[in-house]
């Protein structure tokens, strides 16, 4: 009877909670999760949470002295932690991508190229655009889709009935005692833990208050020391500035004293040098010498220059006359030379003509004599 009821309940549950899902292909490239963890998994992933040396909650150094951490240091530590977490996540994502990355085709060797080919049993024509065909159909509006039938799983097994006495199965008075003991004990234990937790929390709050007071006192002491150091530094700078100002004033005083002594030494013989300079400049002079230099000497120089100019003019006129005479003499000589050459040429021509006439006469006489001799013979 119980098994039949269980079978009916199973069928009712199957009818009530029915779920259908489409079949999905299994990705062969996706690696299944290993059953056991690798030995070097922590080293590869950088997970060192089990090592207390890398746990941020572990305090290092002297635990008796209070650690004063400023707000800027806390912000800097938080920023560094966030950057490290981001870097760790990026590395994990990169490692995961490299693991899931599908291996690509290796490059072709030298002298060959890759080509696309089909590996199916039946070859198909490869085209950029698939073949398209148009088809039409029309269904009547009154014909609706029939409802899907309910899924009824097939009945398996054989129904069997039996009868059991309730007293043999469960005795409440006997079985409830250990359960009550466990519940009461657990309740008391939980209550004690809660009380201890409250006491621990109160102790922690008290310790936190004491720690806050100590930290505030130490912060005040640190601020006092910093203020004292700042005052000492300011006092040092002020003293250095005063010393520099004193040295500058002392240097200016020395320069003024040196300038005064130099001016005194320089102006000791200034009067004599001034009078000598004025005398050289002509402010103090002898009237006779001044008259000779300014009146007599200029007149004398003018007279000498005028006489020299007159002499030079006379010499120039004489030179020009001599040049004209020489020029005329040269022209007359050239003219006489030309006439002489012309006369000599005429005489030479007359002499040549006379010689020619004499030769003709002699030639004629020879011819006549030759003719006479020929006639006589």
């Amino acid at each position: 009877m119980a098994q039949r009821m269980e079978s009916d309940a199973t069928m009712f549950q199957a009818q009530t909670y029915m779920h259908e899902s489409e079949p999905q292909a299994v990705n062969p490239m996706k690696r299944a999760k290993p059953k056991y963890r690798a030995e070097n998994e922590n080293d590869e992933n950088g997970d060192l949470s089990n090592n207390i040396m890398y746990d941020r909650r572990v305090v290092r150094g002297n635990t008796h002295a209070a650690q004063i951490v400023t707000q800027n240091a806390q912000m800097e530590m938080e920023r560094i932690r966030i950057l490290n977490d981001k870097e760790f996540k990026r590395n994990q994502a990169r490692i995961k991508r490299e693991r899931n990355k599908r291996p690509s085709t290796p490059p072709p060797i030298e002298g060959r190229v890759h080509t696309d080919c089909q590996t199916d049993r039946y070859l198909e024509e490869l085209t950029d655009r698939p073949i398209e065909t148009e088809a039409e159909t029309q269904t009547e509006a009154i014909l609706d889709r029939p409802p899907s039938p309910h899924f009824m799983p097939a009945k398996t097994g054989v129904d069997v009935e039996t009868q059991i006495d309730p007293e043999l199965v469960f005795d409440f008075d006997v079985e409830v005692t250990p359960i009550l003991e466990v519940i009461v004990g657990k309740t008391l234990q939980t209550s004690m833990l809660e009380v201890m937790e409250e006491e621990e929390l109160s102790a922690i709050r008290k310790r936190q208050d004491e720690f806050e007071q100590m930290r505030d006192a130490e912060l005040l002491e640190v601020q006092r020391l910093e203020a004292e150091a700042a005052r000492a530094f300011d006092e040092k700078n002020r003293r250095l500035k005063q010393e520099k100002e004193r040295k500058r004033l002392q240097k200016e005083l020395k320069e003024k004293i040196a300038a005064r002594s130099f001016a005194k030494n320089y102006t000791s013989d200034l009067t004599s040098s001034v009078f000598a300079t004025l005398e050289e400049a002509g402010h103090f002079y002898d009237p006779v010498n001044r008259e000779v230099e300014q009146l007599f000497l200029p007149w004398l120089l003018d007279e000498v220059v005028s006489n020299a100019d007159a002499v030079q003019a006379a010499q120039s006129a004489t030179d020009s006359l001599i040049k004209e005479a020489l020029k005329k003499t040269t022209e007359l000589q050239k003219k006489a030379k030309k006439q002489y050459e012309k006369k000599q040429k005429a005489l030479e021509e007359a002499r040549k003509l006379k010689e020619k006439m004499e030769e003709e006469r002699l030639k004629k006489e020879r011819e006549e004599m030759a003719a006479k001799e020929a006639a006589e013979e």
Side-chain angles (χ1 to χ4, degrees), residues 92-110:
Q92 292 297 323
R94 179 177 56 79
I95 294 172
K96 187 175 181 181
R97 286 196 303 270
E98 291 178 355
R99 287 179 178 177
N100 298 332
K101 185 177 180 182
R102 184 175 181 180
S104 60
T105 304
I109 62 177
E110 186 177 359

Side-chain angles (χ1 to χ4, degrees), residues 43 119 168-169 209 266 279 282 315 317 327 372:
D43 298 338
T119 58
L168 299 176
V169 177
D209 295 338
Y266 182 76
E279 187 175 358
Q315 289 179 357
K327 186 177 181 181
K372 286 181 180 182

Side-chain angles (χ1 to χ4, degrees), residues 306-318:
S306 61
N307 292 332
D309 292 338
V311 172
Q312 187 176 2
Q315 289 179 357
S316 299
T318 305

Side-chain angles (χ1 to χ4, degrees), residues 73-269:
Q74 292 179 357
M75 294 174 64
E76 184 67 19
M77 292 171 62
E78 185 67 20
R79 186 182 66 82
I80 294 172
R81 186 184 65 79
I82 293 172
L83 292 177
N84 293 335
D85 293 343
K86 290 182 179 179
E87 184 68 21
F88 176 73
K89 290 180 180 179
R90 283 197 295 268
N91 293 334
Q92 292 297 323
R94 179 177 56 79
I95 294 172
K96 187 175 181 181
R97 286 196 303 270
E98 291 178 355
R99 287 179 178 177
N100 298 332
K101 185 177 180 182
R102 184 175 181 180
S104 60
T105 304
I109 62 177
E110 186 177 359
R112 296 186 180 181
V113 295
H114 288 321
T115 57
D116 297 332
C117 63
Q118 293 186 1
T119 58
D120 297 337
R121 180 177 297 178
Y122 302 100
L123 299 179
E124 296 180 1
E125 183 181 0
L126 298 177
T127 58
D128 295 338
R129 183 175 180 180
I131 300 174
E132 297 178 357
T133 58
E134 295 182 359
E136 296 180 358
T137 181
Q138 180 65 36
T139 58
E140 296 181 2
I142 60 175
L143 296 179
D144 296 333
R145 179 178 177 276
S148 300
H150 294 286
F151 176 74
M152 299 293 292
K155 185 177 180 180
T156 59
V158 180
D159 295 338
V160 179
E161 296 179 358
T162 183
Q163 182 67 32
I164 300 175
D165 189 4
E167 295 180 356
L168 299 176
V169 177
F170 181 75
D171 189 359
F172 179 79
D173 295 335
V174 177
E175 300 293 338
V176 78
T177 302
I179 297 174
L180 289 176
E181 290 179 355
V182 171
I183 293 173
V184 172
K186 190 66 176 177
T187 304
L188 293 175
Q189 184 181 2
T190 305
S191 302
M192 292 179 66
L193 290 175
E194 290 178 356
V195 172
M196 292 174 64
E197 184 178 359
E198 290 178 356
E199 292 180 355
E200 185 178 0
L201 289 175
S202 62
I204 290 173
R205 293 192 189 94
K206 184 177 179 181
R207 179 59 183 168
Q208 286 180 351
D209 295 338
E210 294 177 357
F211 176 76
E212 291 289 339
Q213 293 177 2
M214 292 173 60
R215 188 179 66 177
D216 294 340
E218 290 179 356
L219 287 175
L220 291 175
E221 183 66 19
V222 169
Q223 292 177 359
R224 186 184 65 79
L225 294 176
E226 289 179 354
E228 185 177 356
R231 288 195 299 271
F233 183 74
D234 295 338
E235 182 67 19
K236 179 181 177 181
N237 292 334
R238 188 176 63 81
R239 294 292 180 85
L240 290 174
K241 188 175 181 181
Q242 289 180 356
E243 184 65 19
K244 290 181 180 179
E245 185 68 18
R246 187 186 65 79
K247 289 183 178 180
R248 186 182 64 81
L249 294 176
Q250 187 176 3
K251 184 178 180 181
E252 289 182 357
L253 181 60
K254 290 181 179 180
E255 290 178 354
K256 288 180 180 179
I257 293 172
R260 183 177 180 182
S261 60
F262 176 75
K264 186 175 181 180
N265 294 330
Y266 182 76
T267 57
S268 59
D269 55 347

Side-chain angles (χ1 to χ4, degrees), residues 253-308:
L253 181 60
K254 290 181 179 180
E255 290 178 354
K256 288 180 180 179
I257 293 172
R260 183 177 180 182
S261 60
F262 176 75
K264 186 175 181 180
N265 294 330
Y266 182 76
T267 57
S268 59
D269 55 347
L270 183 62
T271 304
S272 58
S273 62
V274 167
F275 279 105
T277 304
L278 292 175
E279 187 175 358
E280 291 177 359
H283 294 283
F284 302 102
Y285 58 88
D286 189 2
V288 178
N289 294 333
R290 185 66 175 274
E291 186 175 359
V292 170
E293 291 176 357
Q294 293 185 358
L295 298 177
F296 178 72
L297 289 178
W299 173 80
L300 181 60
L301 291 174
D302 293 338
E303 290 295 330
V304 171
V305 169
S306 61
N307 292 332

